[in-house]
Amino acid sequence: TFLLAVVSRVLLVLKNWFTNPVTSKERITKAREQIVDVLEGSTLFGNLPESALNKLADSGVTVKYKNGADIIKKGDFGEEFFLIIKGDVEVLDIADSGMEKPIATLHEGDGFGELALLESEKRNAFVRAFTDIELFVIKREQFLSSLKEAGVDPLQVTALLRATNAIRASDVFYSIAPRAMQKLLNSLTRSSVSADSKIITEGDIGDKFYLIESGRVSVFDESTGREKMQLGSGDYFGEIALLTDVPRNSSVKTVEDS
């Protein structure tokens, strides 16, 4: 009787499969459309053309994690970028004592691990599933290849990635929410500055924050001319000006075309 019951169930499954042959394909198409929608609404990829979004959707994979699972561990090397399709994740730091410090909670449409799309560096935070989640994952090589195939200059996106990473590296914006990050990135403008041009004068009241995409600048004392430091690609300066009207505490000029 048990054998007959099993056989009847198998036959029913086969009957449904052959009478509805597009069911599996429809599920795949629907899942792909969902990934494209999430990519389109994300901070990093929202401005890409549809052709690029489709290439990215075809190049990555979806993975699922249970609530409480570790996705990224601080200090590990990685080459994947993660985009949340469903669920929430928690970004946190863990002290040597074991004390956990929550940094941010990310939701559907938010991404993490973007620096891995540029270069292989150690992860700078822990990421853990806050609920059961589904993620879209794409590796650096697949990411760059998809952009080229879609006719998109990778520099267009990698500049945005560097800006995102530089902003998150700042003590001021370390825990900035993804939606606020989107607004901040949308307000950025690109400028080319020739060598030996002064950008900031010590004592002035400023209202601009600077990210260095390429080139180098010198931070120095206006009265003595003594150089305090040099900053290069990926570095930033002037972030306090976005929060208060405190006078600039140093002068800044370009060392080379930037």
Side-chain angles (χ1 to χ4, degrees), residues 38-39 71 81-90 105-112 127 131 133-136:
V38 174
L39 286 168
I71 304 165
F81 169 74
F82 301 83
L83 192 65
I84 303 172
I85 299 175
K86 291 180 182 177
D88 303 321
V89 305
E90 186 176 34
T105 301
L106 306 180
H107 313 283
E108 180 180 324
D110 294 331
F112 55 94
V127 180
T131 64
I133 60 169
E134 184 174 358
L135 303 173
F136 173 74

PDB file of all heavy atoms in Angstrom, residues 38-39 71 81-90 105-112 127 131 133-136:
ATOM      1  N   VAL A  38      15.431  44.990  -7.578  1.00  0.00           N
ATOM      2  CA  VAL A  38      16.230  45.338  -6.395  1.00  0.00           C
ATOM      3  C   VAL A  38      17.497  46.086  -6.806  1.00  0.00           C
ATOM      4  O   VAL A  38      17.890  47.066  -6.171  1.00  0.00           O
ATOM      5  CB  VAL A  38      16.584  44.075  -5.575  1.00  0.00           C
ATOM      6  CG1 VAL A  38      17.533  44.429  -4.433  1.00  0.00           C
ATOM      7  CG2 VAL A  38      15.322  43.432  -5.018  1.00  0.00           C
ATOM      8  N   LEU A  39      18.140  45.629  -7.882  1.00  0.00           N
ATOM      9  CA  LEU A  39      19.329  46.322  -8.391  1.00  0.00           C
ATOM     10  C   LEU A  39      18.991  47.759  -8.789  1.00  0.00           C
ATOM     11  O   LEU A  39      19.727  48.694  -8.484  1.00  0.00           O
ATOM     12  CB  LEU A  39      19.906  45.574  -9.601  1.00  0.00           C
ATOM     13  CG  LEU A  39      20.652  44.266  -9.334  1.00  0.00           C
ATOM     14  CD1 LEU A  39      20.892  43.530 -10.641  1.00  0.00           C
ATOM     15  CD2 LEU A  39      21.971  44.535  -8.626  1.00  0.00           C
ATOM     16  N   ILE A  71      27.447  36.084   7.811  1.00  0.00           N
ATOM     17  CA  ILE A  71      27.614  36.210   6.364  1.00  0.00           C
ATOM     18  C   ILE A  71      29.015  36.690   6.033  1.00  0.00           C
ATOM     19  O   ILE A  71      29.680  36.178   5.143  1.00  0.00           O
ATOM     20  CB  ILE A  71      26.568  37.187   5.787  1.00  0.00           C
ATOM     21  CG1 ILE A  71      25.160  36.720   6.167  1.00  0.00           C
ATOM     22  CG2 ILE A  71      26.706  37.300   4.271  1.00  0.00           C
ATOM     23  CD1 ILE A  71      24.098  37.770   5.965  1.00  0.00           C
ATOM     24  N   PHE A  81      30.127  41.029  -3.545  1.00  0.00           N
ATOM     25  CA  PHE A  81      29.227  42.083  -3.087  1.00  0.00           C
ATOM     26  C   PHE A  81      27.866  41.448  -2.857  1.00  0.00           C
ATOM     27  O   PHE A  81      27.429  40.578  -3.619  1.00  0.00           O
ATOM     28  CB  PHE A  81      29.126  43.190  -4.137  1.00  0.00           C
ATOM     29  CG  PHE A  81      28.027  44.178  -3.875  1.00  0.00           C
ATOM     30  CD1 PHE A  81      28.154  45.126  -2.864  1.00  0.00           C
ATOM     31  CD2 PHE A  81      26.870  44.164  -4.632  1.00  0.00           C
ATOM     32  CE1 PHE A  81      27.141  46.041  -2.615  1.00  0.00           C
ATOM     33  CE2 PHE A  81      25.848  45.081  -4.403  1.00  0.00           C
ATOM     34  CZ  PHE A  81      25.992  46.024  -3.385  1.00  0.00           C
ATOM     35  N   PHE A  82      27.181  41.861  -1.797  1.00  0.00           N
ATOM     36  CA  PHE A  82      25.894  41.281  -1.421  1.00  0.00           C
ATOM     37  C   PHE A  82      24.788  42.333  -1.515  1.00  0.00           C
ATOM     38  O   PHE A  82      24.957  43.464  -1.035  1.00  0.00           O
ATOM     39  CB  PHE A  82      25.939  40.748   0.012  1.00  0.00           C
ATOM     40  CG  PHE A  82      26.981  39.697   0.253  1.00  0.00           C
ATOM     41  CD1 PHE A  82      28.302  40.058   0.510  1.00  0.00           C
ATOM     42  CD2 PHE A  82      26.668  38.347   0.233  1.00  0.00           C
ATOM     43  CE1 PHE A  82      29.274  39.094   0.748  1.00  0.00           C
ATOM     44  CE2 PHE A  82      27.627  37.375   0.459  1.00  0.00           C
ATOM     45  CZ  PHE A  82      28.933  37.752   0.708  1.00  0.00           C
ATOM     46  N   LEU A  83      23.671  41.940  -2.101  1.00  0.00           N
ATOM     47  CA  LEU A  83      22.505  42.813  -2.191  1.00  0.00           C
ATOM     48  C   LEU A  83      21.323  42.066  -1.580  1.00  0.00           C
ATOM     49  O   LEU A  83      21.078  40.897  -1.912  1.00  0.00           O
ATOM     50  CB  LEU A  83      22.215  43.162  -3.651  1.00  0.00           C
ATOM     51  CG  LEU A  83      21.205  44.276  -3.920  1.00  0.00           C
ATOM     52  CD1 LEU A  83      21.723  45.620  -3.411  1.00  0.00           C
ATOM     53  CD2 LEU A  83      20.913  44.372  -5.411  1.00  0.00           C
ATOM     54  N   ILE A  84      20.607  42.729  -0.684  1.00  0.00           N
ATOM     55  CA  ILE A  84      19.529  42.067   0.050  1.00  0.00           C
ATOM     56  C   ILE A  84      18.255  42.029  -0.799  1.00  0.00           C
ATOM     57  O   ILE A  84      17.737  43.076  -1.196  1.00  0.00           O
ATOM     58  CB  ILE A  84      19.240  42.776   1.384  1.00  0.00           C
ATOM     59  CG1 ILE A  84      20.506  42.835   2.241  1.00  0.00           C
ATOM     60  CG2 ILE A  84      18.128  42.044   2.147  1.00  0.00           C
ATOM     61  CD1 ILE A  84      20.365  43.674   3.494  1.00  0.00           C
ATOM     62  N   ILE A  85      17.768  40.823  -1.074  1.00  0.00           N
ATOM     63  CA  ILE A  85      16.519  40.649  -1.813  1.00  0.00           C
ATOM     64  C   ILE A  85      15.339  40.571  -0.843  1.00  0.00           C
ATOM     65  O   ILE A  85      14.304  41.191  -1.042  1.00  0.00           O
ATOM     66  CB  ILE A  85      16.566  39.373  -2.676  1.00  0.00           C
ATOM     67  CG1 ILE A  85      17.697  39.479  -3.707  1.00  0.00           C
ATOM     68  CG2 ILE A  85      15.229  39.135  -3.389  1.00  0.00           C
ATOM     69  CD1 ILE A  85      17.899  38.214  -4.511  1.00  0.00           C
ATOM     70  N   LYS A  86      15.525  39.804   0.234  1.00  0.00           N
ATOM     71  CA  LYS A  86      14.492  39.692   1.269  1.00  0.00           C
ATOM     72  C   LYS A  86      15.163  39.624   2.636  1.00  0.00           C
ATOM     73  O   LYS A  86      16.225  39.017   2.784  1.00  0.00           O
ATOM     74  CB  LYS A  86      13.650  38.427   1.069  1.00  0.00           C
ATOM     75  CG  LYS A  86      12.756  38.421  -0.144  1.00  0.00           C
ATOM     76  CD  LYS A  86      11.973  37.114  -0.225  1.00  0.00           C
ATOM     77  CE  LYS A  86      11.105  37.062  -1.466  1.00  0.00           C
ATOM     78  NZ  LYS A  86      10.390  35.752  -1.579  1.00  0.00           N
ATOM     79  N   GLY A  87      14.534  40.247   3.630  1.00  0.00           N
ATOM     80  CA  GLY A  87      15.022  40.137   4.996  1.00  0.00           C
ATOM     81  C   GLY A  87      15.906  41.291   5.423  1.00  0.00           C
ATOM     82  O   GLY A  87      16.068  42.278   4.697  1.00  0.00           O
ATOM     83  N   ASP A  88      16.504  41.149   6.603  1.00  0.00           N
ATOM     84  CA  ASP A  88      17.343  42.184   7.187  1.00  0.00           C
ATOM     85  C   ASP A  88      18.662  41.580   7.659  1.00  0.00           C
ATOM     86  O   ASP A  88      18.715  40.411   8.053  1.00  0.00           O
ATOM     87  CB  ASP A  88      16.656  42.840   8.408  1.00  0.00           C
ATOM     88  CG  ASP A  88      15.295  43.423   8.072  1.00  0.00           C
ATOM     89  OD1 ASP A  88      15.161  43.998   6.978  1.00  0.00           O
ATOM     90  OD2 ASP A  88      14.375  43.294   8.898  1.00  0.00           O
ATOM     91  N   VAL A  89      19.728  42.391   7.621  1.00  0.00           N
ATOM     92  CA  VAL A  89      21.017  41.981   8.191  1.00  0.00           C
ATOM     93  C   VAL A  89      21.498  43.055   9.151  1.00  0.00           C
ATOM     94  O   VAL A  89      21.093  44.218   9.058  1.00  0.00           O
ATOM     95  CB  VAL A  89      22.096  41.736   7.108  1.00  0.00           C
ATOM     96  CG1 VAL A  89      21.621  40.733   6.089  1.00  0.00           C
ATOM     97  CG2 VAL A  89      22.516  43.036   6.438  1.00  0.00           C
ATOM     98  N   GLU A  90      22.343  42.640  10.071  1.00  0.00           N
ATOM     99  CA  GLU A  90      22.918  43.566  11.046  1.00  0.00           C
ATOM    100  C   GLU A  90      24.413  43.678  10.804  1.00  0.00           C
ATOM    101  O   GLU A  90      25.108  42.665  10.664  1.00  0.00           O
ATOM    102  CB  GLU A  90      22.647  43.064  12.466  1.00  0.00           C
ATOM    103  CG  GLU A  90      23.079  44.035  13.551  1.00  0.00           C
ATOM    104  CD  GLU A  90      22.709  43.551  14.939  1.00  0.00           C
ATOM    105  OE1 GLU A  90      22.741  42.323  15.170  1.00  0.00           O
ATOM    106  OE2 GLU A  90      22.409  44.387  15.808  1.00  0.00           O
ATOM    107  N   THR A 105      21.536  48.467  10.668  1.00  0.00           N
ATOM    108  CA  THR A 105      20.669  47.395  10.201  1.00  0.00           C
ATOM    109  C   THR A 105      20.296  47.691   8.757  1.00  0.00           C
ATOM    110  O   THR A 105      19.864  48.804   8.438  1.00  0.00           O
ATOM    111  CB  THR A 105      19.397  47.283  11.058  1.00  0.00           C
ATOM    112  OG1 THR A 105      19.761  47.040  12.421  1.00  0.00           O
ATOM    113  CG2 THR A 105      18.529  46.128  10.578  1.00  0.00           C
ATOM    114  N   LEU A 106      20.497  46.720   7.874  1.00  0.00           N
ATOM    115  CA  LEU A 106      20.235  46.900   6.452  1.00  0.00           C
ATOM    116  C   LEU A 106      19.010  46.091   6.040  1.00  0.00           C
ATOM    117  O   LEU A 106      18.737  45.026   6.604  1.00  0.00           O
ATOM    118  CB  LEU A 106      21.451  46.464   5.628  1.00  0.00           C
ATOM    119  CG  LEU A 106      22.793  47.107   6.009  1.00  0.00           C
ATOM    120  CD1 LEU A 106      23.904  46.590   5.107  1.00  0.00           C
ATOM    121  CD2 LEU A 106      22.710  48.628   5.945  1.00  0.00           C
ATOM    122  N   HIS A 107      18.296  46.601   5.031  1.00  0.00           N
ATOM    123  CA  HIS A 107      17.023  46.000   4.636  1.00  0.00           C
ATOM    124  C   HIS A 107      17.020  45.694   3.136  1.00  0.00           C
ATOM    125  O   HIS A 107      18.025  45.883   2.450  1.00  0.00           O
ATOM    126  CB  HIS A 107      15.880  46.951   4.990  1.00  0.00           C
ATOM    127  CG  HIS A 107      15.967  47.518   6.370  1.00  0.00           C
ATOM    128  ND1 HIS A 107      15.631  46.795   7.501  1.00  0.00           N
ATOM    129  CD2 HIS A 107      16.381  48.742   6.818  1.00  0.00           C
ATOM    130  CE1 HIS A 107      15.820  47.538   8.571  1.00  0.00           C
ATOM    131  NE2 HIS A 107      16.276  48.720   8.192  1.00  0.00           N
ATOM    132  N   GLU A 108      15.871  45.243   2.646  1.00  0.00           N
ATOM    133  CA  GLU A 108      15.721  44.919   1.227  1.00  0.00           C
ATOM    134  C   GLU A 108      16.159  46.084   0.349  1.00  0.00           C
ATOM    135  O   GLU A 108      15.769  47.222   0.568  1.00  0.00           O
ATOM    136  CB  GLU A 108      14.257  44.587   0.920  1.00  0.00           C
ATOM    137  CG  GLU A 108      14.005  44.241  -0.537  1.00  0.00           C
ATOM    138  CD  GLU A 108      12.547  43.915  -0.828  1.00  0.00           C
ATOM    139  OE1 GLU A 108      11.904  43.309   0.047  1.00  0.00           O
ATOM    140  OE2 GLU A 108      12.064  44.275  -1.919  1.00  0.00           O
ATOM    141  N   GLY A 109      17.015  45.787  -0.639  1.00  0.00           N
ATOM    142  CA  GLY A 109      17.526  46.812  -1.538  1.00  0.00           C
ATOM    143  C   GLY A 109      18.849  47.402  -1.102  1.00  0.00           C
ATOM    144  O   GLY A 109      19.522  48.065  -1.887  1.00  0.00           O
ATOM    145  N   ASP A 110      19.235  47.163   0.149  1.00  0.00           N
ATOM    146  CA  ASP A 110      20.529  47.652   0.630  1.00  0.00           C
ATOM    147  C   ASP A 110      21.623  46.649   0.266  1.00  0.00           C
ATOM    148  O   ASP A 110      21.362  45.458   0.098  1.00  0.00           O
ATOM    149  CB  ASP A 110      20.513  47.854   2.155  1.00  0.00           C
ATOM    150  CG  ASP A 110      19.565  48.954   2.581  1.00  0.00           C
ATOM    151  OD1 ASP A 110      19.362  49.891   1.781  1.00  0.00           O
ATOM    152  OD2 ASP A 110      19.040  48.896   3.705  1.00  0.00           O
ATOM    153  N   GLY A 111      22.853  47.138   0.154  1.00  0.00           N
ATOM    154  CA  GLY A 111      23.973  46.279  -0.179  1.00  0.00           C
ATOM    155  C   GLY A 111      25.100  46.407   0.817  1.00  0.00           C
ATOM    156  O   GLY A 111      25.157  47.370   1.588  1.00  0.00           O
ATOM    157  N   PHE A 112      26.018  45.452   0.801  1.00  0.00           N
ATOM    158  CA  PHE A 112      27.199  45.526   1.664  1.00  0.00           C
ATOM    159  C   PHE A 112      28.333  44.739   1.017  1.00  0.00           C
ATOM    160  O   PHE A 112      28.108  43.863   0.184  1.00  0.00           O
ATOM    161  CB  PHE A 112      26.901  45.015   3.073  1.00  0.00           C
ATOM    162  CG  PHE A 112      26.324  43.623   3.142  1.00  0.00           C
ATOM    163  CD1 PHE A 112      27.147  42.511   3.318  1.00  0.00           C
ATOM    164  CD2 PHE A 112      24.966  43.415   3.035  1.00  0.00           C
ATOM    165  CE1 PHE A 112      26.620  41.231   3.384  1.00  0.00           C
ATOM    166  CE2 PHE A 112      24.419  42.135   3.109  1.00  0.00           C
ATOM    167  CZ  PHE A 112      25.248  41.046   3.279  1.00  0.00           C
ATOM    168  N   VAL A 127      28.929  40.972   9.426  1.00  0.00           N
ATOM    169  CA  VAL A 127      27.551  41.076   8.944  1.00  0.00           C
ATOM    170  C   VAL A 127      26.843  39.775   9.282  1.00  0.00           C
ATOM    171  O   VAL A 127      27.332  38.694   8.950  1.00  0.00           O
ATOM    172  CB  VAL A 127      27.476  41.349   7.434  1.00  0.00           C
ATOM    173  CG1 VAL A 127      26.012  41.445   6.988  1.00  0.00           C
ATOM    174  CG2 VAL A 127      28.216  42.626   7.071  1.00  0.00           C
ATOM    175  N   THR A 131      17.230  38.304  10.208  1.00  0.00           N
ATOM    176  CA  THR A 131      16.047  37.485   9.956  1.00  0.00           C
ATOM    177  C   THR A 131      16.470  36.407   8.956  1.00  0.00           C
ATOM    178  O   THR A 131      17.619  36.407   8.500  1.00  0.00           O
ATOM    179  CB  THR A 131      14.901  38.312   9.328  1.00  0.00           C
ATOM    180  OG1 THR A 131      15.335  38.790   8.029  1.00  0.00           O
ATOM    181  CG2 THR A 131      14.534  39.511  10.198  1.00  0.00           C
ATOM    182  N   ILE A 133      17.015  35.381   5.431  1.00  0.00           N
ATOM    183  CA  ILE A 133      17.261  36.328   4.342  1.00  0.00           C
ATOM    184  C   ILE A 133      17.584  35.632   3.030  1.00  0.00           C
ATOM    185  O   ILE A 133      17.986  34.468   3.004  1.00  0.00           O
ATOM    186  CB  ILE A 133      18.434  37.295   4.685  1.00  0.00           C
ATOM    187  CG1 ILE A 133      19.722  36.500   4.934  1.00  0.00           C
ATOM    188  CG2 ILE A 133      18.106  38.174   5.849  1.00  0.00           C
ATOM    189  CD1 ILE A 133      20.946  37.359   5.010  1.00  0.00           C
ATOM    190  N   GLU A 134      17.404  36.383   1.966  1.00  0.00           N
ATOM    191  CA  GLU A 134      17.820  35.964   0.631  1.00  0.00           C
ATOM    192  C   GLU A 134      18.681  37.074   0.058  1.00  0.00           C
ATOM    193  O   GLU A 134      18.301  38.244   0.096  1.00  0.00           O
ATOM    194  CB  GLU A 134      16.612  35.709  -0.269  1.00  0.00           C
ATOM    195  CG  GLU A 134      16.990  35.176  -1.650  1.00  0.00           C
ATOM    196  CD  GLU A 134      15.775  34.797  -2.490  1.00  0.00           C
ATOM    197  OE1 GLU A 134      14.650  34.919  -1.978  1.00  0.00           O
ATOM    198  OE2 GLU A 134      15.969  34.400  -3.659  1.00  0.00           O
ATOM    199  N   LEU A 135      19.856  36.701  -0.460  1.00  0.00           N
ATOM    200  CA  LEU A 135      20.822  37.674  -0.962  1.00  0.00           C
ATOM    201  C   LEU A 135      21.160  37.405  -2.418  1.00  0.00           C
ATOM    202  O   LEU A 135      21.180  36.256  -2.862  1.00  0.00           O
ATOM    203  CB  LEU A 135      22.119  37.629  -0.145  1.00  0.00           C
ATOM    204  CG  LEU A 135      22.028  37.849   1.360  1.00  0.00           C
ATOM    205  CD1 LEU A 135      23.388  37.593   2.007  1.00  0.00           C
ATOM    206  CD2 LEU A 135      21.557  39.262   1.671  1.00  0.00           C
ATOM    207  N   PHE A 136      21.436  38.474  -3.136  1.00  0.00           N
ATOM    208  CA  PHE A 136      22.015  38.376  -4.473  1.00  0.00           C
ATOM    209  C   PHE A 136      23.512  38.625  -4.317  1.00  0.00           C
ATOM    210  O   PHE A 136      23.926  39.614  -3.706  1.00  0.00           O
ATOM    211  CB  PHE A 136      21.397  39.425  -5.403  1.00  0.00           C
ATOM    212  CG  PHE A 136      22.059  39.503  -6.754  1.00  0.00           C
ATOM    213  CD1 PHE A 136      21.839  38.521  -7.699  1.00  0.00           C
ATOM    214  CD2 PHE A 136      22.898  40.559  -7.067  1.00  0.00           C
ATOM    215  CE1 PHE A 136      22.441  38.596  -8.954  1.00  0.00           C
ATOM    216  CE2 PHE A 136      23.506  40.639  -8.308  1.00  0.00           C
ATOM    217  CZ  PHE A 136      23.277  39.655  -9.258  1.00  0.00           C
TER     218      PHE A 136
END
